[in-house]
Amino acid sequence: MEIKVGFEIAHATLQPTPMVIMLSIHPSRRQDIIGTETIAAEPNVPIKFYNDSFGNICGRLVAPAGGVTLRGSALVHDSGLPDAIAPTAQQSPIDQLPDDILLYLMASRYCETDKLTDVAWSLFGNTQPGWERAAAICTFVHNHVTFGYQHAHHMKSAHDVYAQGAGVCRDFAHLALTFCRCMGIPARYCTGYMGDIGIPYDPAPMDFSGWFEAYLSGRWYTFDARHNKPRIGRILMATGRDAADVALTTSFGRMDLMKFLVVSDEVVAA
């Protein structure tokens, strides 16, 4: 299938303000882009792209006084298959993990493994290590946390989510991946597009989505504690330890968000 994705994000500012943006499709999906992905600013200020330490594509620009509108679009080929399920995927002994994977077992800005290790072991200590354990964690978080945009807060951590039992997609991901780390499963945060493909249409405005990946049997597998079932048409944009590593926009100065529009639609042949 083909999926049309894009965004329009407008910020207002009183003075020239440097920015870093993370709005490009991830390098692992670049071969699926049909034609060219476009990202541009209005007014037409230059954007310099680079790869961060996690391999994500970032852009640098200076928003002029008055503000800037960022627009992006791409047509992406997708298999149309749901997220992979691998019940036999194994959990690797920690001493045998690759060096670059160890980072995803450790605490990070929004994922306090030290505060949740005892909770995690009390809940999941009797589960079978590997896929069964990661799936059990997702099911628990899915049932424990109530979704609602009114529960969103940029300072909310995994421990806060566990205590409050409410949040948005990033909060589901933070709590689940923190539990995975506590149980010895490397896990990383993911952000990207995920439209209403293969499910009933949702009339609410689209948003970027947050999920996580767990490292099992030598590769990364997608898990989504909010929906807790395989989905079709995820298009990855960035990965990191948690949402702090994959902020869509970072401004070095005061900015006000004026518009936020996201599109992720299957292209239906005429």
Side-chain angles (χ1 to χ4, degrees):
M1 66 168 57
E2 294 179 0
I3 302 173
K4 179 182 180 181
V5 299
F7 59 84
E8 183 174 349
I9 302 173
H11 290 90
T13 183
L14 296 176
Q15 59 189 18
T17 304
M19 297 181 70
V20 172
I21 62 174
M22 200 175 297
L23 294 164
S24 300
I25 293 172
H26 193 265
S28 63
R29 295 298 305 267
R30 303 303 289 180
Q31 75 278 5
D32 296 324
I33 297 173
I34 301 170
T36 304
E37 179 184 25
T38 62
I39 296 178
E42 182 184 337
N44 185 22
V45 295
I47 303 175
K48 178 184 176 182
F49 290 95
Y50 69 97
N51 291 90
D52 69 6
S53 58
F54 296 97
N56 306 311
I57 301 173
C58 305
R60 299 179 62 174
L61 68 148
V62 178
V68 66
T69 298
L70 300 164
R71 295 186 180 91
S73 64
L75 183 63
V76 182
H77 173 77
D78 190 81
S79 68
L81 299 174
D83 302 324
I85 298 177
T88 60
Q90 300 296 306
Q91 187 170 328
S92 301
I94 292 174
D95 62 334
Q96 296 178 23
L97 288 168
D99 295 341
D100 60 340
I101 300 298
L102 286 173
L103 175 69
Y104 299 103
L105 282 175
M106 299 178 184
S108 57
R109 168 66 179 82
Y110 292 108
C111 302
E112 317 100 318
T113 52
D114 54 339
K115 292 183 178 181
L116 287 168
T117 293
D118 289 345
V119 174
W121 278 95
S122 70
L123 291 170
F124 311 111
N126 292 326
T127 58
Q128 183 68 28
W131 185 274
E132 181 180 317
R133 176 169 285 172
I137 288 170
C138 282
T139 297
F140 172 84
V141 173
H142 177 78
N143 293 331
H144 180 76
V145 182
T146 299
F147 179 86
Y149 287 110
Q150 71 273 22
H151 303 307
H153 193 282
H154 69 283
M155 297 294 286
K156 186 180 289 188
S157 70
H159 186 265
D160 296 332
V161 179
Y162 176 71
Q164 297 170 17
V168 293
C169 58
R170 75 176 233 161
D171 300 315
F172 284 76
H174 280 155
L175 181 55
L177 74 86
T178 302
F179 279 149
C180 282
R181 291 177 187 174
C182 291
M183 301 303 296
I185 302 174
R188 66 185 183 185
Y189 186 90
C190 302
T191 187
Y193 296 96
M194 187 175 67
D196 302 325
I197 300 173
I199 63 170
Y201 171 73
D202 185 345
M206 285 192 185
D207 197 354
F208 292 112
S209 187
W211 61 90
F212 76 100
E213 292 177 342
Y215 188 81
L216 299 168
S217 290
R219 57 160 285 187
W220 292 104
Y221 284 96
T222 297
F223 287 88
D224 188 336
R226 179 194 167 187
H227 299 100
N228 203 32
K229 58 183 178 182
R231 291 288 297 269
I232 296 170
R234 292 184 201 271
I235 299 175
L236 183 66
M237 295 168 66
T239 67
R241 293 167 297 182
D242 57 32
D245 291 330
V246 298
L248 299 171
T249 62
T250 301
S251 61
F252 300 91
R254 171 66 185 272
M255 275 190 162
D256 294 315
L257 181 64
M258 308 301 291
K259 184 175 184 179
F260 189 86
L261 174 67
V262 180
V263 173
S264 181
D265 293 324
E266 180 182 359
V267 178
V268 179

